[in-house]
Amino acid sequence: MSSFVIIYYTALIAASCLAAYYKQRNVFMLLFSLTLVSFVLGIIGGAGALRFVATASFILALAAGTSYAFREFLILISKPGLAKELRTAPLTAAFGMFVIFTYAIAGIFAPWIAPHGEAEIIGQAFAPPDENMLLGADQLGRDMFSRIIYGARNSVGLALVATLLAFFMGALAGLLAAVKGGWFDQLMGRVADVIMSIPSLIFALLMLSIFGTGLHVIVVVVAIIYSPRVFRLTRAVAGNIVVMDYIEAAKLRGEKDWYLIRREILPNATAPLIAEFGLEFCFVFLLIAGLSFLGLGIQPPTADWGSMVRENATLISFGDITPLIPAAAIALLTVAVNFVVDWMLFRTSGLKEQ
Amino acid sequence: MGDLTRLVFKRLGLGLGTILVVSVLIFFAVELLPGDIAEAVLGQGATEETVTAMREQLGLDRPAFVRYFEWLGGAVTGDFGVSLVSGERVSDAISDRFVNTLFLASYAAVIAVPISILLGVFTALYRNTIFDRVANVMTLTTISSPEFFLGYVLILFLAVRATMFPAISSLSGDMGLLELLHRAFLPMLTLVLVVTAHMMRMTRAAIINLLASPYIEMARLKGTPPWKVIVKHALPNAWAPIINVVALNLAYLITGVVLVEVVFVYPGIGQLLVDAVAKRDFPVVQACCLIFAATFILLNLAADVGAILTNPRLRHPK
């Protein structure tokens, strides 16, 4: 029984007792179940497994602390109205906002943060980490850490552009279909049905095999694949709005379609559309990452997370985790966006389960 | 019952129509190539003669819609033409791999479906408890991770650090079933993780939706024990959404398989598709796309028909 094990259990049990004493039921349940899980894992896996559990829970606690601090920070710097909304945000949403914020910083200031250029060869292939290269070198001897930072700009930027285009096309078609109705509505609906009846990855592969893998091709293809989702949502939301009396009144005033869309419908449809934008971004981001991973996305030497995983995958068979870092970066951003979207959906729907 | 069969047949006809439209899309997308297939495949350096020879060999001198009907007629009878790269018949290259992919998908489905439905029901029953919250965060994380991330994490821990399962699933026909199951374990587990997360969330949402309905409240108020509320009152109405969820996720499985097959070098149809796209081998790409799209549409169709059969309200559309 090492001192680590003793300190670990003492701390856990002490914390559980404190939580129980101050009637913090949820905290107590969490801490005590962690203790019980540690007992079981400790018996099966010994001190090694225990160390793993301890590290994992420490990271979780750190993330929770960061999110809490970040939420308080946001509440302090924002206007009263917004601050009140932010106060209702769960920790997961605050965590999501923190991660998105970090990625934005990394993407915007990439050339200043990254110690080396994205295509600069500075060492041996697969060189191990040293003080010059934080995460070692990739398969051509480029600095892994710098490439990950630049990847935030390239991968996220491309996904963002594609999402914006998909959103623009889908929302415009949806609004026009709702306002015009008739054959236009029918036609758009059928087109959306056909596009959605082909699996997205398969459709993307088909299109990329035909038009090659240029950046603009990827953006357009991905936008076309995902715009029907936006179309359907916008059509449904706007469909509920166009039957309102104030729309009728505006029509009687002789307003044009474009005015109706811009001044009457859009302001009432923003909340679900913003949430959909977040979800859509996740889908687009994962699809582009998948395409890059298959070697059909952003082409080298541009740093991109999906292709970095593929290029360095051989390292995994030597038990090295570096190739997983870009993949984890993809997962982390998607999780973060999902957390924020979850909170926004919950807030706008006013849904309280029980 | 006459009404019901007519509705089901109508739905089936609609599905068939969708497959036809998709086949048109897949065929004529290739016609959009700048120049034509022969120029695209042979490249800039090709001489006039070789391009003409290839055009003749592929029958490109005939109108596109004639070729479309030939292609479709062939596809229906399992003949997808000849590969541009290897000269092999596409159907020969596909048939074995298609069986492998089906094996992987059904292996994953058999394990994922019962687990996710059970977990989904549990999270719905114990919603807003710590168990539900943890399940929510974990499923969200799994859904948000790219399939290749999960795949490589599993390889790292279960194949490299603890050498329990092979990292590369090479299959051959003369293996016993146990050997096959062992070799395909890691790709299966990756798919199960992703699909379970999706299915669990959808089942949870469906059940919660159901538990909020007035007749469940009524059953609870008259003092029915909780298990009886679930089994006798909720479950009969829950079948429709659950069948829907299962079919939709099986459809998802069919496409999720592409990335997973590449990660584990699994000899399936997804791997073939990705290779063919890189080599611009259009007959193979078209054949694989058609198979994937048709499977996807058929499973969605099954979801619809299942919903119609189990939910009488859908039989009388407004």
Side-chain angles (χ1 to χ4, degrees):
Chain A
M1 199 108 149
S2 65
S3 57
F4 163 73
V5 178
I6 296 171
I7 295 173
Y8 178 70
Y9 279 124
T10 323
L12 263 185
I13 292 171
S16 321
C17 292
L18 269 181
Y21 184 75
Y22 286 106
K23 301 267 186 295
Q24 297 286 327
R25 197 166 166 275
N26 279 335
V27 180
F28 170 73
M29 282 301 286
L30 202 68
L31 283 172
F32 201 67
S33 43
L34 181 63
T35 320
L36 291 182
V37 168
S38 308
F39 274 139
V40 176
L41 283 179
I43 290 166
I44 298 172
L50 220 51
R51 222 172 266 272
F52 176 74
V53 175
T55 333
S57 31
F58 178 70
I59 293 174
L60 270 181
L62 203 65
T66 321
S67 344
Y68 182 74
F70 189 68
R71 184 175 70 189
E72 294 305 310
F73 169 69
L74 281 182
I75 290 174
L76 276 180
I77 61 164
S78 54
K79 294 196 198 90
L82 195 61
K84 201 177 159 196
E85 298 275 10
L86 281 171
R87 244 178 258 281
T88 65
L91 275 189
T92 46
F95 175 72
M97 286 188 263
F98 176 71
V99 171
I100 295 170
F101 178 72
T102 320
Y103 276 59
I105 296 285
I108 295 168
F109 299 107
W112 292 277
I113 298 175
H116 303 281
E118 64 178 314
E120 201 182 332
I121 294 174
I122 54 167
Q124 294 279 313
F126 296 132
D130 53 28
E131 61 256 35
N132 187 24
M133 295 184 287
L134 277 178
L135 295 173
D138 70 353
Q139 89 284 10
L140 294 178
R142 295 168 295 193
D143 180 28
M144 197 75 174
F145 177 70
S146 306
R147 281 179 71 77
I148 290 179
I149 299 288
Y150 272 102
R153 168 180 280 197
N154 302 330
S155 312
V156 180
L158 186 69
L160 211 55
V161 172
T163 317
L164 282 173
L165 187 62
F167 217 74
F168 178 72
M169 298 196 309
L172 193 67
L175 290 170
L176 280 178
V179 173
K180 286 194 185 301
W183 65 269
F184 183 77
D185 190 13
Q186 288 291 321
L187 179 74
M188 283 297 163
R190 293 295 85 72
V191 170
D193 281 350
V194 169
I195 296 179
M196 283 183 83
S197 66
I198 309 178
S200 49
L201 184 65
I202 307 298
F203 198 26
L205 285 175
L206 175 69
M207 287 302 164
L208 290 181
S209 75
I210 294 166
F211 297 109
T213 51
L215 281 189
H216 54 284
V217 178
I218 297 177
V219 168
V220 173
V221 166
V222 171
I224 290 178
I225 290 174
Y226 279 111
S227 51
R229 280 181 49 99
V230 190
F231 167 79
R232 282 203 180 163
L233 182 87
T234 325
R235 173 74 189 78
V237 172
N240 286 335
I241 298 175
V242 286
V243 291
M244 295 281 180
D245 287 343
Y246 58 85
I247 299 287
E248 194 72 13
K251 272 185 187 159
L252 288 177
R253 281 206 308 271
E255 305 289 5
K256 294 271 173 358
D257 285 351
W258 186 237
Y259 177 91
L260 287 179
I261 288 176
R262 211 161 40 87
R263 301 298 298 271
E264 306 283 352
I265 299 177
L266 263 186
N268 290 304
T270 36
L273 284 185
I274 289 175
E276 175 67 18
F277 185 82
L279 279 184
E280 192 82 0
F281 173 78
C282 292
F283 287 124
V284 168
F285 190 49
L286 285 180
L287 177 64
I288 292 186
L291 288 175
S292 298
F293 172 73
L294 296 176
L296 300 162
I298 303 173
Q299 296 299 308
T302 315
D304 162 71
W305 291 337
S307 35
M308 283 170 77
V309 178
R310 175 198 186 79
E311 286 158 1
N312 297 296
T314 35
L315 277 183
I316 292 175
S317 40
F318 300 105
D320 191 350
I321 61 156
T322 9
L324 291 179
I325 296 174
I330 297 170
L332 187 63
L333 181 61
T334 325
V335 174
V337 175
N338 263 319
F339 279 157
V340 178
V341 168
D342 246 20
W343 168 56
M344 278 167 47
L345 280 179
F346 187 76
R347 204 167 53 87
T348 52
S349 65
L351 234 162
K352 304 272 182 289
E353 287 158 6
Q354 273 205 337
Chain B
M1 267 331 249
D3 242 19
L4 185 60
T5 37
R6 213 179 63 221
L7 205 62
V8 170
F9 271 111
K10 205 172 140 196
R11 195 64 199 80
L12 286 177
L14 209 62
L16 212 62
T18 319
I19 294 184
L20 260 181
V21 174
V22 167
S23 76
V24 169
L25 202 67
I26 289 174
F27 184 83
F28 285 95
V30 174
E31 298 295 315
L32 287 177
L33 271 177
D36 61 9
I37 298 184
E39 280 177 33
V41 170
L42 294 172
Q44 302 248 309
T47 57
E48 195 62 37
E49 288 87 60
T50 47
V51 173
T52 323
M54 185 155 192
R55 271 193 197 134
E56 238 159 64
Q57 191 199 338
L58 294 172
L60 290 183
D61 38 4
R62 283 167 305 141
F65 67 92
V66 175
R67 278 182 288 123
Y68 167 71
F69 283 112
E70 279 174 12
W71 177 72
L72 189 68
V76 171
T77 52
D79 173 21
F80 290 97
V82 178
S83 159
L84 293 182
V85 175
S86 63
E88 201 188 351
R89 297 187 62 73
V90 177
S91 45
D92 292 345
I94 284 183
S95 54
D96 283 357
R97 284 170 171 264
F98 187 56
V99 173
N100 286 346
T101 299
L102 275 186
F103 169 70
L104 179 59
S106 36
Y107 186 14
V110 165
I111 293 179
V113 171
I115 293 181
S116 45
I117 290 181
L118 270 182
L119 283 177
V121 171
F122 273 119
T123 44
L125 286 183
Y126 297 102
R127 62 185 175 285
N128 295 333
T129 59
I130 210 92
F131 169 63
D132 179 36
R133 297 258 167 92
V134 170
N136 182 34
V137 169
M138 294 218 339
T139 51
L140 209 56
T141 315
T142 324
I143 290 173
S144 310
S145 313
E147 284 92 345
F148 55 85
F149 177 58
L150 293 177
Y152 280 130
V153 168
L154 290 180
I155 288 187
L156 181 65
F157 286 107
L158 295 181
V160 177
R161 296 231 169 133
T163 46
M164 286 196 283
F165 299 100
I168 289 178
S169 344
S170 50
L171 307 184
S172 67
D174 52 351
M175 284 177 191
L177 182 64
L178 270 182
E179 178 74 18
L180 282 179
L181 291 179
H182 181 245
R183 296 228 169 173
F185 186 81
L186 286 185
M188 178 279 287
L189 192 58
T190 317
L191 283 173
V192 164
L193 282 177
V194 180
V195 173
T196 304
H198 273 283
M199 245 193 269
M200 230 178 103
R201 287 175 80 84
M202 287 161 86
T203 314
R204 175 181 181 274
I207 301 276
I208 284 183
N209 213 351
L210 203 69
L211 290 183
S213 40
Y215 74 93
I216 297 285
E217 182 100 50
M218 177 65 210
R220 232 184 259 143
L221 286 178
K222 74 182 183 197
T224 320
W227 67 268
K228 219 171 178 180
V229 172
I230 298 295
V231 175
K232 285 216 143 162
H233 296 259
L235 211 53
N237 276 313
W239 285 126
I242 288 179
I243 287 175
N244 218 348
V245 166
V246 170
L248 287 182
N249 280 286
L250 291 184
Y252 171 80
L253 205 61
I254 290 299
T255 58
V257 100
V258 175
L259 284 169
V260 173
E261 279 179 7
V262 172
V263 170
F264 292 97
V265 203
Y266 184 91
I269 195 170
Q271 176 99 33
L272 183 72
L273 171 62
V274 173
D275 286 347
V277 168
K279 291 180 197 150
R280 312 194 79 183
D281 191 349
F282 294 110
V284 180
V285 174
Q286 283 175 325
C288 293
C289 284
L290 190 65
I291 291 176
F292 273 120
T295 323
F296 189 72
I297 294 170
L298 285 178
L299 283 170
N300 277 316
L301 194 65
D304 277 359
V305 172
I308 293 175
L309 289 180
T310 45
N311 188 352
R313 271 175 298 181
L314 291 178
R315 287 176 210 165
H316 306 286
K318 278 179 251 171

